[in-house]
Amino acid sequence: MDIQIKKGILDVLVLTILNRGNSYGYKIIQDIAGIIEISESTLYPILKRLENGSCLTTYSAEHNGRLRKYYSITELGKRRIREFLSEFREVMTVYNLILKESTGV
């Protein structure tokens, strides 16, 4: 898969996980693991990029005596999911045409 496409998909996947509710890095990795393999070294730059783009915010809360960093989706992040879905529908229309023309189905 093209790296830029994968990057965009991973961004929206992380936002979608956060749209379920606030979460932290390790839990996000666990939630995504059943869908696609992702490592901490991949996730944390995505989270930082989304934070810098105002798609999510962060806060710290104590958990078992330690501070844990939590991530929360913003309205801009929710809008990014909607935009992705709209773009995806267009891509699927093109994909289906290519598939139809290539296979004669």
Side-chain angles (χ1 to χ4, degrees):
M1 180 182 297
D2 179 76
I3 191 72
Q4 291 303 317
I5 292 172
K6 190 172 184 178
K7 179 180 169 183
I9 289 172
L10 287 175
D11 286 4
V12 175
L13 180 56
V14 168
L15 290 171
T16 300
I17 295 297
L18 291 173
N19 202 33
R20 297 175 181 171
N22 299 349
S23 194
Y24 55 95
Y26 182 72
K27 177 74 169 108
I28 294 169
I29 289 172
Q30 288 180 317
D31 290 342
I32 291 174
I35 302 163
I36 190 169
E37 187 176 325
I38 187 169
S39 66
E40 289 181 19
S41 63
T42 300
L43 177 65
Y44 287 104
I46 291 170
L47 291 169
K48 190 64 174 169
R49 181 172 57 249
L50 292 171
E51 181 181 10
N52 289 341
S54 300
C55 289
L56 59 83
T57 59
T58 63
Y59 64 93
S60 295
E62 189 174 325
H63 177 77
N64 291 336
R66 294 178 29 193
L67 282 182
R68 178 182 278 171
K69 187 173 186 177
Y70 286 87
Y71 300 88
S72 177
I73 192 168
T74 64
E75 284 304 314
L76 188 60
K78 292 176 183 181
R79 184 172 25 180
R80 179 64 195 114
I81 294 170
R82 291 190 300 272
E83 290 169 356
F84 173 85
L85 290 172
S86 176
E87 294 165 3
F88 182 74
R89 285 183 195 97
E90 292 176 23
V91 169
M92 287 307 298
T93 299
V94 172
Y95 172 82
N96 287 329
L97 175 64
I98 293 168
L99 183 64
K100 180 179 177 184
E101 294 295 323
S102 297
T103 61
V105 176

